[in-house]
Amino acid sequence: MSNDLRDKYVRALQTTEGNDPLSRLARASLQAAAEKFSGLGLLQAAAGPGFNFRLANPDDGGLIAAHEVGDFLQRVQKAVARLAKARRVRRADIVRLQPLDLAFARLDVTASMAGSIIVDLQPHITTVEEGENDLAPAGVSWAEIGAVELVRALPEGHDDEASMDSLLSASPVMRRAVADLIHELPNPNLDISLAVQRGNGERISSVLSAGQAVTLRERLGVIREEREVIRLQGRLDGLRTRRQIFYFEPPTGSEIHGFVDDSLVSVVRDHLDQEVEVALESFVLRSLAGKRSQRRYRLIEVAGQQSQLPPGSELDEDE
């Protein structure tokens, strides 16, 4: 690709920097073009917060009905709002959503193609209205935070068993958000692709086949029991950021691994290969058939910094 063509593309993006609906639509169209013609090297220039999902029905030549797209868009909005609220109010689970919760993490459709929808991740509630306790990090919307959490937790591809397994150790709100996406789909044969373009230029994507969705629905039907919080001193041995898995080496016994929330990923990375005190939520899973799992773990505190999704009474069904 010539520098002249790239410069023209960058100038086109710069003319759509406004926050009005027409500017958003134009910006999303340019980002969609960058994705479609990825070989031209436009994706970096098009970096900006946006969320794209694609649906396809392999049994019908990839075609899907309009009502299926609309239904899934509502599911995505609900899942993103649920995860955003959990981070906003610092609770491990969110059962009910109010209209204000959807407004905090509102998704606006900015472009659509066959089986594909692009929504923006711009903030919609001003900081004056949010209040001090409801502020997202500077330059990041709650919609972006929720979308990133959701996409990170889902598998990268059709053979990504590690992410599928990791979800069983995730926070209750994460499992509930995934259930928002896949529970009682009007068309259970859909293959789903999700991608988030962050404001900092990072791009995260996930793929969930119809078969994987069936497996996840079964796995999410487990019950947690024997829950407790344990504190250990040991070495943080590793981190798989994309799958949100941590590895911890205690002073005695075998290595521990489990789920780490996105809010703790940076502090884990800063303490890799170091002796550190951690707090873990420990539990056993029991399936509806009565089968019990090995003990599982979720990292909830590292070197004094607590996850924004702490355990405790927040795990109760009622808020």
Side-chain angles (χ1 to χ4, degrees):
M1 176 187 177
S2 69
N3 290 333
D4 183 58
L5 182 54
R6 181 182 176 83
D7 290 343
K8 288 181 179 178
Y9 185 82
V10 171
R11 285 197 297 271
L13 279 172
Q14 290 172 343
T15 63
T16 63
E17 290 181 347
N19 204 35
D20 57 282
L22 288 178
S23 293
R24 291 181 181 180
L25 180 59
R27 192 162 54 241
S29 298
L30 289 166
Q31 290 168 356
E35 290 187 17
K36 185 175 182 180
F37 303 104
S38 56
L40 297 179
L42 299 173
L43 282 173
Q44 186 174 358
F51 191 10
N52 172 227
F53 69 83
R54 295 185 176 91
L55 307 175
N57 185 353
D59 298 332
D60 196 16
L63 300 176
I64 59 172
H67 77 275
E68 293 168 356
V69 177
D71 171 79
F72 195 75
L73 178 57
Q74 293 182 51
R75 291 170 178 270
V76 171
Q77 174 68 92
K78 188 176 181 180
V80 168
R82 193 183 300 280
L83 291 169
K85 181 177 182 179
R87 290 283 297 274
R88 208 175 77 238
V89 302
R90 298 174 183 261
R91 295 179 66 92
D93 198 5
I94 297 296
V95 179
R96 301 180 185 88
L97 287 173
Q98 305 296 331
L100 185 60
D101 301 322
L102 299 173
F104 269 115
R106 173 175 162 177
L107 303 177
D108 281 335
V109 175
T110 56
S112 62
M113 296 168 278
S116 180
I117 296 290
I118 298 177
V119 298
D120 75 23
L121 298 175
Q122 303 293 332
H124 286 277
I125 296 181
T126 65
T127 56
V128 174
E129 293 171 332
E130 287 180 8
E132 184 178 353
N133 294 331
D134 293 327
L135 295 179
V140 180
S141 69
W142 285 115
E144 181 176 337
I145 289 173
V148 169
E149 292 260 18
L150 180 64
V151 176
R152 279 202 197 282
L154 294 172
E156 287 185 272
H158 296 167
D159 58 351
D160 185 5
E161 180 60 30
S163 290
M164 299 276 285
D165 185 67
S166 178
L167 265 172
L168 294 179
S169 302
S171 61
V173 71
M174 177 62 74
R175 300 198 315 278
R176 199 181 293 272
V178 173
D180 286 337
L181 285 187
I182 64 177
H183 182 63
E184 295 184 351
L185 282 168
N187 183 352
N189 300 317
L190 295 179
D191 287 339
I192 301 164
S193 299
L194 301 169
V196 173
Q197 182 76 41
R198 306 194 69 178
N200 62 9
E202 180 186 12
R203 192 172 189 273
I204 311 163
S205 60
S206 290
V207 174
L208 188 66
S209 69
Q212 286 174 310
V214 171
T215 301
L216 274 182
R217 279 192 287 269
E218 295 173 352
R219 294 184 181 185
L220 292 174
V222 300
I223 300 170
R224 292 190 175 196
E225 53 187 28
E226 298 181 19
R227 287 193 299 106
E228 61 178 333
V229 173
I230 59 175
R231 290 188 173 273
L232 295 171
Q233 187 83 24
R235 187 173 69 91
L236 277 171
D237 191 38
L239 172 69
R240 300 182 72 176
T241 306
R242 176 58 183 81
R243 294 187 173 107
Q244 295 186 251
I245 302 174
F246 75 92
Y247 298 87
F248 179 77
E249 194 176 87
T252 60
S254 57
E255 182 181 69
I256 293 172
H257 70 276
F259 192 88
V260 54
D261 296 316
D262 195 54
S263 63
L264 278 183
V265 165
S266 61
V267 69
V268 171
R269 188 183 293 112
D270 291 341
H271 289 82
L272 283 177
D273 204 30
Q274 296 180 21
E275 288 285 326
V276 67
E277 181 177 315
V278 302
L280 306 171
E281 180 190 6
S282 164
F283 52 89
V284 173
L285 300 174
R286 178 167 56 84
S287 70
L288 297 179
K291 185 177 179 180
R292 289 163 56 87
S293 74
Q294 295 182 336
R295 187 159 292 276
R296 290 179 173 269
Y297 301 91
R298 180 170 73 94
L299 189 62
I300 58 173
E301 187 178 315
V302 178
Q305 182 166 328
Q306 192 177 59
S307 165
Q308 292 181 354
L309 304 177
S313 61
E314 293 87 348
L315 298 178
D316 297 338
E317 285 297 306
D318 294 326
E319 294 189 32

